[in-house]
Amino acid sequence: MNFRSDNEAPINATILKAIVDANKGFEESYGYDQYSEAFTEQCQQLFQSWCEVLPLTTGTAANSIAMTLATPPYGSILCHKHSHMNEDECGAPEFFTAGAKLIPMPGEHGKIDLNYLDQYLAGTGVHGEHESLPSVISITQCTEAGTLYTLKELNQLKNIKKKYNLFLHMDGARFANALVALDCSAAEMTWQTGVDLLSFGATKNGAMMAEALIVFNPNLINQIKRLRKRSGHLISKMRFISAQLQAYLDNDLWLELAHHANLMASIFKQQTINHIEFLHPVEANEVFCRLPLKLIEHLQELGFKFHLWPGHKDVIRLVFSHATQSNDVNQLINVINNYKNK
Amino acid sequence: MNFRSDNEAPINATILKAIVDANKGFEESYGYDQYSEAFTEQCQQLFQSWCEVLPLTTGTAANSIAMTLATPPYGSILCHKHSHMNEDECGAPEFFTAGAKLIPMPGEHGKIDLNYLDQYLAGTGVHGEHESLPSVISITQCTEAGTLYTLKELNQLKNIKKKYNLFLHMDGARFANALVALDCSAAEMTWQTGVDLLSFGATKNGAMMAEALIVFNPNLINQIKRLRKRSGHLISKMRFISAQLQAYLDNDLWLELAHHANLMASIFKQQTINHIEFLHPVEANEVFCRLPLKLIEHLQELGFKFHLWPGHKDVIRLVFSHATQSNDVNQLINVINNYKNK
Amino acid sequence: MNFRSDNEAPINATILKAIVDANKGFEESYGYDQYSEAFTEQCQQLFQSWCEVLPLTTGTAANSIAMTLATPPYGSILCHKHSHMNEDECGAPEFFTAGAKLIPMPGEHGKIDLNYLDQYLAGTGVHGEHESLPSVISITQCTEAGTLYTLKELNQLKNIKKKYNLFLHMDGARFANALVALDCSAAEMTWQTGVDLLSFGATKNGAMMAEALIVFNPNLINQIKRLRKRSGHLISKMRFISAQLQAYLDNDLWLELAHHANLMASIFKQQTINHIEFLHPVEANEVFCRLPLKLIEHLQELGFKFHLWPGHKDVIRLVFSHATQSNDVNQLINVINNYKNK
Amino acid sequence: MNFRSDNEAPINATILKAIVDANKGFEESYGYDQYSEAFTEQCQQLFQSWCEVLPLTTGTAANSIAMTLATPPYGSILCHKHSHMNEDECGAPEFFTAGAKLIPMPGEHGKIDLNYLDQYLAGTGVHGEHESLPSVISITQCTEAGTLYTLKELNQLKNIKKKYNLFLHMDGARFANALVALDCSAAEMTWQTGVDLLSFGATKNGAMMAEALIVFNPNLINQIKRLRKRSGHLISKMRFISAQLQAYLDNDLWLELAHHANLMASIFKQQTINHIEFLHPVEANEVFCRLPLKLIEHLQELGFKFHLWPGHKDVIRLVFSHATQSNDVNQLINVINNYKNK
């Protein structure tokens, strides 16, 4: 009954089998293996576009290398104030970029307020060399609040990035959940709406440790492998990362897993909406809701695991994953609804 | 009739003479000269305390080396969102600290909202290694809005820094203007209210190029000279910096110059207060006021120089300096008052 | 018939099984799992000492975080000129340490010339703040030439580090091979001879991707987890790294695997010594030998894989691993000896 | 009788007068003043070429910003092992470049062995992303040994830089001394022999604190002003730096001053050559000679100041400057020659 994080979920069986299957004899190291090559091709087919693909083991690495490609040290990164990059990576973007500045943007439900962003950017450029150079916008899809930028909003972002000559990065730690929810193509949600760099996450959705930085803009791949190497992220036995990623995409496994996670969240919301308050729209697999303190304690006593959300006393975050069982969800719903009915 | 910046003012004659006088024969280089030693002693007398003194040529260098001493790369710096460090140093603090994160704080009139600061800090620490470690609070005295933290507010800051085990830095680019305005001792405005590191500015108040990083906390001076050297800020003929600083402090020249600047601003405000709107309290030598657009154009045509303040259409900043002449101020007052009287 | 690198070898079956076994349900993420805790205890027993243990996925990460702990940015790192850190990590140590300087040391067979090191250090300190501060000695055990520092030499290093007040780091990418070869305890080869930080490698000796930074000096662990996080090296599903490391140590599997690799190298040397030239003593599992160009081509045609060693035309490197089969070694020996006998 | 360093010499009177003369009223700050503009034009005339000119206060800043322009963080810098950048800047190049690697080159008399350099470079490129990318060659003219690269050698360097697609940087802390000695044009010694970036020093040759980074390669000036700002090297009252530089070039003052310094060194050598040993050719204004220990002590007792050269017991460095008086030189010669004649 663990709703704490999709990071605590196990490896999907098909993906684990791919690791085991890849363990056959000797194989070229450092990413020059057959699995890595094949995964790049898979990505190009999935996104219907040329792209550079850099397998990695963490989302922070993917985000940070993306930033290194997209901003000089004297540049700035425009991101939501509650974005993972700004609040949960202990300064990794600043470290990798040698000191680029993150400009925290406001916005409801984890999404950058696009009017604010536009106005902010319109006001830059007057201080000359005294101010950091706006260089890249970074959004998270799904956001840290479990919400989604619609295709319309993504197109607005595309216009802003063009207007101010910036790059656009998407932190896709839960990319599959977003794609399933928007029900569009991977191309539509990325390069067709101006995304230059994508942190493509698989770990939260069933992999052991497998992420990829995918670059759609050919001007942003200079020495990308050296950037990976010098940050210690070049895995020698890379085949075991790429094999996960291959299995993840094969037969739409990734979409199936994300669909399950989203469905669980959706069911939870539908069944409890009359009893509890939701802080954000439930659009993918994360739920933030306000519960009576006693109910929270009661749930904990019953063994339900979830995060008490920082900054609030009575708000919890529930994450539904590929491995969440309907039975657990039903139990959770019952406890909540019965408690409220008292 | 230049009210654009105290950075555009000339060198005070006494300070220039000190440079000329220091040009006698050969002298030990790299700060091991008699002038530098004497200036350290002067500082210790002025502040009635032990302190480490590092002569420098820019305020950005002083601020940035201060930050390097006060925060690790994985730390965070709490400063006002409109502080010079956050907005006007092109990422220098991030560069020098190898990636520390500046957390921009809100607050009226250029001063950090101390309640907000307290609450923000109370909310940190729950994410463990995922979040940057709050390490230092940096304030500007006088602020970028020309206002002052009172001694009472400084004592509140002292409590906050103690409560959360942080260091406190003061960007004193206009330290003299603040001290004259608060009419307290240099000790009272610094280490007695918890200031660990002070960027002590002289350039804006009459020097050619002379600042000093003054450290009151003996735990924060480790390898401070190497930090200066490796950032390229070790001046070989240092005697010419230290000679300026000596002359600046001698016979209270610095206070006299700041007093003049503040007085000019004060007179301007008193004489025009009935005709124009002031955006911030006028507490030192900077004034931000709203004027009719036509009056702004009229002033420009008459040869008055000042900054149109970014983010507004009808707001100008006037800076009064040690070299501002009463005659110019009177002319400015007259033009404004006559214009309004029409 | 792959002798190119132990990085190309597969995962040992027992270690792979440990990964599969760890895939049971939900588990605390980010290293707060039972496997990670248990591995720390295992290490403390193995080294008969307190130690801090940081599981990682690459040796470059382990080395680089070690350097971040052991030297300030204005410090210097004394290492062999052909060390992995100096030649094969694309500047990772400089990146992680925010600019520390690697001072390349000469020395035969991949080992630092200890007299040279002593004399070099004796000459430092005269330039004051103009020179980098010697901070840490880093050695590789086994070295990049496949050789070993003897316990006597390690004790000499301990004296040098004490004499100059430095830290001592050991890059143990092939630690097991070294330990088996020296036939001493893990304690004797590390903290008892002054090693403060150890990069403990398992990947080359049978793991999928599993290394650990082990710190014996309690003064060098400050915020070590934040250093891992901000470099993107905090694996969310850490249990799968720690489970590998546990299985690696369990029942002396690691020693058994290393023993096999060393034995293969030793047999190769004994059987071919009369026919070919060895560039370095063969002390662990790597062999550098000079062969006639035509023999090299002949071997390649037969499907043998190995590295042509840069800087030479006729030198090859053979790496024998836990997965090297005696049959392959015998074939290799036969081809070489028969060729020479012609 | 100070022969310790040209850094200890006073300001030349004409240059000091230029500072005093520039102190007239208000003037645009941050380098947008008339003096800075005029100096750029002077440089373009002097070098008979377009160039970007960045006035600075230290040579370390000039060198370090040059490196930031010429190498990515994953790049390497090829320089003499005894170069100022490698030995005397406390890691400034590594800091500014965010971790580029300095590769120390051997070579007699402070000059890079060009054959070694060529061979070293020929051996790079085989490790792919594992090795740093050779990016820039940096030479010092005059070298730290007081010697000169001839125009022929500079042309050899030009060929090497072209062959390996590198940039070429010249640390010209004593550029004037070199130019006078080679008796060629400033263009011939710089961009005509392939120099892309020049650290142009004036401080050691009579200025108070005035250096300039001069860039001849238009591809290397991107955001150069932001690089200056974020390292804290943007001087607000820049007119006082540029006024020095103007006066330095006006009427060939710089050549006159350098000629005097070189002449003093030359006379010293000619007069003492039969009595003492010189370690390096005396080609500009620095002399390294071996003296009997007792003579060294005798000179010190008589008040002569000079550096005992690190790494030797009986070697001193004498630096002759624009301010060195013939009388002092003659006295020095007499003491040495009389001592030897005993």
Side-chain angles (χ1 to χ4, degrees):
Chain A
M1 301 192 298
N2 187 318
F3 300 92
R4 202 154 47 195
S5 173
D6 26 17
N7 277 326
E8 302 192 5
I11 312 171
N12 167 271
T14 304
I15 296 175
L16 181 56
K17 182 171 183 301
I19 293 175
V20 174
D21 288 350
N23 195 37
K24 296 208 164 60
F26 285 73
E27 173 72 46
E28 190 99 30
S29 58
Y30 294 120
Y32 297 95
D33 58 277
Q34 51 169 301
Y35 305 88
S36 299
E37 281 175 27
F39 176 61
T40 294
E41 281 174 32
Q42 260 180 309
C43 284
Q44 294 182 348
Q45 284 181 13
L46 168 63
F47 289 99
Q48 305 159 50
S49 163
W50 173 91
C51 54
E52 176 84 17
V53 176
L54 199 74
L56 292 161
T57 49
T58 72
T60 297
N63 287 342
S64 299
I65 294 177
M67 291 304 102
T68 313
L69 291 161
T71 175
Y74 45 77
S76 66
I77 299 163
L78 302 139
C79 57
H80 193 275
K81 65 178 172 176
H82 293 315
S83 64
H84 199 265
M85 284 209 332
N86 194 46
E87 291 205 329
D88 295 301
E89 300 188 352
C90 199
E94 290 91 343
F95 172 43
F96 276 68
T97 60
K101 181 182 282 293
L102 276 70
I103 312 282
M105 292 284 125
E108 292 201 338
H109 303 312
K111 291 155 71 176
I112 297 174
D113 179 326
L114 300 188
N115 287 329
Y116 184 97
L117 174 65
D118 194 4
Q119 281 172 32
Y120 174 85
L121 286 166
T124 60
V126 292
H127 281 291
E129 68 220 70
H130 299 261
E131 55 177 301
S132 295
L133 182 72
S135 300
V136 58
I137 302 166
S138 176
I139 56 170
T140 315
Q141 179 85 323
C142 326
T143 72
E144 286 74 12
T147 59
L148 293 169
Y149 290 89
T150 62
L151 286 186
K152 188 181 163 195
E153 288 167 330
L154 290 176
N155 275 299
Q156 279 180 270
L157 271 162
K158 184 182 184 178
N159 289 337
I160 292 173
K161 88 154 213 178
K162 282 191 177 173
K163 184 173 171 188
Y164 299 104
N165 200 24
L166 308 175
F167 297 116
L168 181 57
H169 166 252
M170 179 180 281
D171 177 351
R174 294 186 177 94
F175 186 81
N177 304 88
L179 195 66
V180 162
L182 281 194
D183 195 21
C184 65
S185 77
E188 281 176 286
M189 204 171 80
T190 56
W191 61 270
Q192 288 183 3
T193 44
V195 173
D196 297 289
L197 311 112
L198 168 67
S199 299
F200 180 82
T203 309
K204 291 183 199 292
N205 193 31
M208 177 173 75
M209 53 194 76
E211 311 274 316
L213 173 57
I214 300 179
V215 188
F216 301 107
N217 184 333
N219 297 321
L220 291 181
I221 60 163
N222 188 33
Q223 296 290 348
I224 191 171
K225 288 186 177 175
R226 277 194 160 96
L227 294 179
R228 178 172 63 181
K229 175 61 197 173
R230 75 189 295 263
S231 56
H233 283 287
L234 178 55
I235 300 290
S236 56
K237 298 184 179 172
M238 187 72 85
R239 56 169 144 166
F240 298 109
I241 303 298
S242 297
Q244 292 176 61
L245 291 164
Q246 275 197 292
Y248 183 66
L249 291 188
D250 270 350
N251 305 312
D252 291 341
L253 173 63
W254 64 309
L255 300 177
E256 185 189 310
L257 297 175
H259 182 264
H260 173 80
N262 289 5
L263 181 64
M264 292 296 102
S266 173
I267 287 171
F268 174 81
K269 188 193 168 186
Q270 288 163 20
Q271 303 285 331
T272 58
I273 186 119
N274 294 326
H275 300 86
I276 56 174
E277 178 193 351
F278 289 82
L279 271 75
H280 306 297
V282 174
E283 299 178 352
N285 68 321
E286 287 185 287
V287 169
F288 296 78
C289 51
R290 176 165 285 123
L291 300 183
L293 283 181
K294 291 213 166 165
L295 173 52
I296 293 176
E297 282 168 24
H298 183 52
L299 288 167
Q300 288 171 327
E301 282 160 11
L302 291 171
F304 290 98
K305 292 182 180 172
F306 44 78
H307 269 299
L308 296 173
W309 206 238
H312 305 267
K313 282 194 178 162
D314 54 356
V315 171
I316 66 169
R317 186 188 74 166
L318 301 166
V319 186
F320 300 82
S321 80
H322 67 97
T324 300
Q325 298 185 6
S326 338
N327 200 32
D328 288 353
V329 179
N330 289 335
Q331 280 193 50
L332 180 62
I333 292 168
N334 287 337
V335 175
I336 288 175
N337 289 351
N338 288 329
Y339 180 88
K340 295 291 291 182
N341 288 336
K342 277 175 195 172
Chain B
M1 301 192 299
N2 186 318
F3 300 92
R4 203 154 46 196
S5 173
D6 27 16
N7 277 326
E8 301 191 7
I11 312 170
N12 167 269
T14 304
I15 296 175
L16 181 56
K17 184 171 180 303
I19 294 175
V20 174
D21 289 350
N23 195 37
K24 295 209 166 60
F26 284 74
E27 172 72 46
E28 190 99 27
S29 58
Y30 293 121
Y32 298 95
D33 58 277
Q34 49 169 301
Y35 306 88
S36 299
E37 283 175 26
F39 175 61
T40 295
E41 282 175 31
Q42 261 180 307
C43 285
Q44 295 183 346
Q45 284 182 12
L46 168 63
F47 288 99
Q48 304 160 52
S49 163
W50 172 91
C51 54
E52 176 83 18
V53 177
L54 198 75
L56 292 161
T57 50
T58 72
T60 297
N63 287 343
S64 300
I65 295 176
M67 290 306 100
T68 313
L69 292 161
T71 176
Y74 45 76
S76 67
I77 299 164
L78 302 139
C79 58
H80 194 273
K81 66 179 171 178
H82 292 315
S83 64
H84 198 264
M85 284 207 333
N86 195 44
E87 291 205 329
D88 295 300
E89 299 189 351
C90 199
E94 288 92 343
F95 172 43
F96 276 69
T97 59
K101 181 182 282 291
L102 276 70
I103 311 283
M105 292 285 125
E108 293 203 338
H109 304 312
K111 293 155 71 175
I112 296 174
D113 179 325
L114 300 187
N115 286 329
Y116 184 97
L117 175 64
D118 194 4
Q119 280 172 32
Y120 174 85
L121 287 166
T124 60
V126 293
H127 280 292
E129 67 220 68
H130 298 261
E131 55 177 299
S132 295
L133 181 72
S135 299
V136 57
I137 303 166
S138 175
I139 57 170
T140 315
Q141 179 85 321
C142 324
T143 73
E144 286 73 13
T147 58
L148 294 169
Y149 290 89
T150 62
L151 286 186
K152 188 181 163 194
E153 289 166 330
L154 291 176
N155 275 299
Q156 280 180 268
L157 271 161
K158 185 183 183 179
N159 289 336
I160 293 174
K161 87 155 213 177
K162 283 191 177 173
K163 184 173 170 187
Y164 299 104
N165 199 22
L166 308 174
F167 297 116
L168 180 58
H169 166 252
M170 179 180 281
D171 177 351
R174 294 185 177 94
F175 185 81
N177 303 90
L179 194 66
V180 163
L182 281 195
D183 196 20
C184 65
S185 76
E188 282 176 284
M189 204 170 81
T190 55
W191 61 271
Q192 289 184 1
T193 44
V195 173
D196 296 289
L197 310 114
L198 168 67
S199 298
F200 180 81
T203 308
K204 291 182 199 293
N205 194 31
M208 179 172 75
M209 54 194 73
E211 312 274 317
L213 172 58
I214 300 178
V215 188
F216 301 107
N217 184 332
N219 297 322
L220 291 181
I221 61 164
N222 187 33
Q223 295 289 350
I224 191 170
K225 289 186 176 175
R226 275 193 162 97
L227 294 180
R228 178 171 65 180
K229 175 59 196 175
R230 76 190 293 263
S231 58
H233 284 287
L234 178 55
I235 300 291
S236 57
K237 297 183 180 174
M238 187 72 84
R239 57 169 145 168
F240 298 110
I241 302 299
S242 296
Q244 293 176 61
L245 291 165
Q246 274 198 293
Y248 183 66
L249 290 188
D250 271 350
N251 306 311
D252 290 341
L253 173 63
W254 65 309
L255 300 178
E256 186 189 311
L257 297 175
H259 182 264
H260 173 80
N262 288 6
L263 181 64
M264 291 296 102
S266 173
I267 287 171
F268 174 80
K269 187 194 169 185
Q270 287 163 21
Q271 302 285 329
T272 58
I273 187 124
N274 294 326
H275 301 86
I276 57 175
E277 178 194 350
F278 289 82
L279 272 74
H280 305 298
V282 174
E283 297 178 353
N285 69 320
E286 287 186 286
V287 169
F288 297 79
C289 50
R290 176 166 284 123
L291 300 183
L293 282 181
K294 290 215 166 163
L295 174 51
I296 292 175
E297 282 167 23
H298 184 51
L299 287 167
Q300 288 172 326
E301 282 160 13
L302 291 172
F304 290 98
K305 291 182 180 170
F306 45 78
H307 270 299
L308 296 172
W309 206 238
H312 305 267
K313 282 193 176 161
D314 54 356
V315 172
I316 66 169
R317 186 188 74 166
L318 301 167
V319 185
F320 300 83
S321 80
H322 68 99
T324 301
Q325 298 185 6
S326 338
N327 201 32
D328 287 354
V329 179
N330 289 334
Q331 281 192 50
L332 180 62
I333 292 168
N334 287 336
V335 174
I336 289 175
N337 289 352
N338 289 328
Y339 180 88
K340 295 293 290 182
N341 288 337
K342 275 174 194 172
Chain C
M1 301 189 300
N2 187 317
F3 301 92
R4 204 155 44 195
S5 174
D6 26 18
N7 278 325
E8 303 192 6
I11 312 170
N12 168 269
T14 304
I15 296 175
L16 182 55
K17 182 171 182 302
I19 293 175
V20 174
D21 289 349
N23 196 37
K24 295 212 165 56
F26 284 73
E27 172 73 45
E28 190 99 29
S29 58
Y30 294 121
Y32 297 94
D33 58 277
Q34 52 171 298
Y35 306 88
S36 299
E37 281 174 29
F39 176 61
T40 294
E41 280 174 33
Q42 260 180 310
C43 284
Q44 294 183 348
Q45 285 181 13
L46 169 63
F47 289 99
Q48 305 158 48
S49 163
W50 173 90
C51 54
E52 175 84 18
V53 176
L54 199 74
L56 292 161
T57 50
T58 72
T60 296
N63 287 342
S64 298
I65 295 177
M67 291 304 100
T68 312
L69 292 162
T71 174
Y74 45 77
S76 67
I77 299 163
L78 302 139
C79 58
H80 194 274
K81 67 179 172 178
H82 293 316
S83 64
H84 198 266
M85 284 208 333
N86 195 45
E87 292 204 328
D88 295 301
E89 300 187 352
C90 200
E94 288 91 344
F95 173 42
F96 276 68
T97 59
K101 182 182 281 292
L102 276 71
I103 311 280
M105 293 285 125
E108 291 201 339
H109 303 312
K111 292 156 71 177
I112 296 174
D113 179 324
L114 299 187
N115 286 328
Y116 184 97
L117 174 64
D118 194 5
Q119 281 172 33
Y120 173 84
L121 287 166
T124 60
V126 293
H127 280 292
E129 67 220 67
H130 299 262
E131 54 176 300
S132 295
L133 182 71
S135 299
V136 57
I137 303 167
S138 175
I139 57 169
T140 315
Q141 180 84 323
C142 326
T143 73
E144 286 73 13
T147 58
L148 294 168
Y149 290 89
T150 62
L151 287 185
K152 187 180 164 194
E153 288 166 331
L154 291 176
N155 275 299
Q156 279 180 269
L157 271 162
K158 184 183 186 178
N159 289 336
I160 292 173
K161 87 153 213 179
K162 284 192 175 174
K163 183 172 169 187
Y164 298 104
N165 199 23
L166 308 174
F167 297 117
L168 181 57
H169 166 252
M170 179 180 281
D171 178 352
R174 294 186 177 92
F175 185 81
N177 303 89
L179 195 66
V180 163
L182 281 195
D183 196 20
C184 64
S185 77
E188 280 176 286
M189 204 170 81
T190 56
W191 62 270
Q192 289 184 2
T193 45
V195 173
D196 296 288
L197 311 113
L198 168 67
S199 299
F200 180 82
T203 309
K204 290 181 198 294
N205 194 33
M208 178 172 75
M209 52 193 77
E211 312 273 317
L213 173 56
I214 299 178
V215 188
F216 301 107
N217 184 333
N219 297 321
L220 290 181
I221 60 164
N222 188 34
Q223 296 289 349
I224 191 170
K225 289 186 176 174
R226 276 193 162 96
L227 295 179
R228 178 171 64 181
K229 174 60 196 175
R230 77 189 293 262
S231 57
H233 283 287
L234 178 56
I235 300 291
S236 57
K237 299 185 180 172
M238 187 73 85
R239 57 171 145 168
F240 299 108
I241 303 298
S242 297
Q244 292 176 62
L245 291 164
Q246 275 197 292
Y248 183 66
L249 291 188
D250 270 351
N251 305 311
D252 290 341
L253 173 64
W254 65 308
L255 300 178
E256 185 189 312
L257 298 175
H259 181 265
H260 173 80
N262 289 6
L263 180 65
M264 291 296 104
S266 172
I267 288 172
F268 174 81
K269 186 192 170 186
Q270 287 162 20
Q271 303 285 330
T272 58
I273 186 125
N274 294 326
H275 301 88
I276 56 173
E277 177 194 351
F278 290 82
L279 271 74
H280 306 296
V282 174
E283 298 177 351
N285 69 321
E286 288 186 285
V287 168
F288 297 79
C289 50
R290 177 165 284 124
L291 300 183
L293 282 180
K294 291 214 165 164
L295 173 51
I296 292 175
E297 284 168 22
H298 183 52
L299 287 167
Q300 288 171 326
E301 282 160 13
L302 291 172
F304 291 98
K305 293 183 179 170
F306 44 77
H307 270 300
L308 295 173
W309 205 237
H312 304 267
K313 283 192 176 161
D314 54 355
V315 171
I316 65 169
R317 185 188 75 164
L318 301 167
V319 185
F320 299 83
S321 79
H322 67 98
T324 301
Q325 298 184 6
S326 338
N327 201 31
D328 287 353
V329 179
N330 289 335
Q331 280 191 50
L332 180 62
I333 292 168
N334 287 337
V335 175
I336 290 175
N337 289 352
N338 289 328
Y339 180 88
K340 295 292 292 183
N341 288 337
K342 275 173 195 171
Chain D
M1 300 191 300
N2 186 316
F3 299 93
R4 203 155 44 196
S5 173
D6 27 16
N7 277 327
E8 302 192 7
I11 311 170
N12 168 269
T14 303
I15 295 174
L16 181 55
K17 184 172 180 302
I19 293 175
V20 174
D21 289 350
N23 196 37
K24 296 211 165 59
F26 285 74
E27 172 72 45
E28 190 99 30
S29 58
Y30 293 121
Y32 296 95
D33 59 277
Q34 51 170 301
Y35 305 89
S36 297
E37 282 175 27
F39 175 60
T40 294
E41 281 174 31
Q42 261 180 310
C43 285
Q44 294 183 348
Q45 284 182 13
L46 168 62
F47 288 99
Q48 304 159 49
S49 164
W50 173 91
C51 54
E52 175 84 17
V53 177
L54 198 76
L56 292 161
T57 50
T58 71
T60 296
N63 287 343
S64 298
I65 295 177
M67 291 305 100
T68 313
L69 291 161
T71 176
Y74 46 76
S76 67
I77 300 164
L78 302 139
C79 58
H80 193 275
K81 65 178 173 178
H82 292 315
S83 64
H84 198 265
M85 284 207 333
N86 194 45
E87 292 204 330
D88 295 300
E89 300 188 351
C90 199
E94 288 92 344
F95 172 43
F96 276 69
T97 60
K101 182 182 281 293
L102 276 70
I103 311 281
M105 291 285 125
E108 292 202 338
H109 304 312
K111 293 155 71 176
I112 296 174
D113 179 325
L114 300 187
N115 286 329
Y116 184 98
L117 174 65
D118 194 5
Q119 282 173 31
Y120 173 85
L121 287 166
T124 61
V126 291
H127 281 289
E129 67 221 69
H130 298 262
E131 56 176 298
S132 295
L133 182 70
S135 299
V136 57
I137 303 166
S138 175
I139 57 169
T140 315
Q141 179 84 324
C142 326
T143 73
E144 286 73 14
T147 58
L148 294 167
Y149 289 90
T150 63
L151 287 185
K152 189 180 162 192
E153 288 166 331
L154 290 175
N155 275 298
Q156 281 179 268
L157 271 161
K158 184 183 184 177
N159 290 337
I160 292 173
K161 87 154 213 177
K162 284 191 176 174
K163 184 173 170 187
Y164 298 103
N165 199 24
L166 309 174
F167 297 117
L168 181 57
H169 165 253
M170 180 181 281
D171 177 352
R174 293 186 178 93
F175 185 81
N177 303 88
L179 195 66
V180 163
L182 281 194
D183 197 20
C184 65
S185 76
E188 282 176 286
M189 204 169 81
T190 56
W191 61 270
Q192 289 184 2
T193 45
V195 173
D196 296 287
L197 311 113
L198 169 66
S199 298
F200 180 81
T203 308
K204 291 182 197 295
N205 194 31
M208 179 173 75
M209 54 194 74
E211 312 274 315
L213 172 57
I214 300 177
V215 187
F216 301 107
N217 184 334
N219 297 322
L220 291 182
I221 61 164
N222 188 34
Q223 295 289 350
I224 190 171
K225 288 185 177 175
R226 276 194 161 96
L227 294 180
R228 179 172 62 182
K229 175 61 196 173
R230 76 189 294 263
S231 57
H233 283 288
L234 178 55
I235 300 290
S236 57
K237 299 185 178 172
M238 187 72 86
R239 57 170 146 169
F240 299 109
I241 302 298
S242 296
Q244 292 176 62
L245 291 164
Q246 275 197 292
Y248 182 67
L249 290 188
D250 271 349
N251 304 311
D252 290 343
L253 174 63
W254 65 308
L255 300 178
E256 187 189 310
L257 297 176
H259 182 265
H260 173 80
N262 289 5
L263 183 62
M264 292 296 102
S266 172
I267 287 172
F268 174 80
K269 187 194 170 183
Q270 286 162 21
Q271 302 286 330
T272 58
I273 187 119
N274 294 326
H275 302 87
I276 57 175
E277 178 194 351
F278 289 82
L279 270 75
H280 305 297
V282 174
E283 298 177 353
N285 69 322
E286 288 186 286
V287 168
F288 296 78
C289 51
R290 176 165 285 123
L291 300 183
L293 281 181
K294 292 215 166 165
L295 174 50
I296 292 176
E297 284 168 23
H298 184 51
L299 287 168
Q300 288 171 326
E301 283 160 12
L302 291 172
F304 289 98
K305 292 181 179 171
F306 44 78
H307 270 299
L308 296 173
W309 206 237
H312 303 268
K313 283 193 176 161
D314 54 356
V315 171
I316 65 171
R317 185 187 75 164
L318 301 167
V319 185
F320 300 82
S321 80
H322 68 97
T324 301
Q325 298 185 6
S326 340
N327 201 32
D328 287 355
V329 179
N330 288 334
Q331 280 191 50
L332 180 62
I333 292 168
N334 286 337
V335 175
I336 290 175
N337 289 352
N338 288 330
Y339 180 88
K340 297 292 290 183
N341 287 337
K342 274 175 195 172

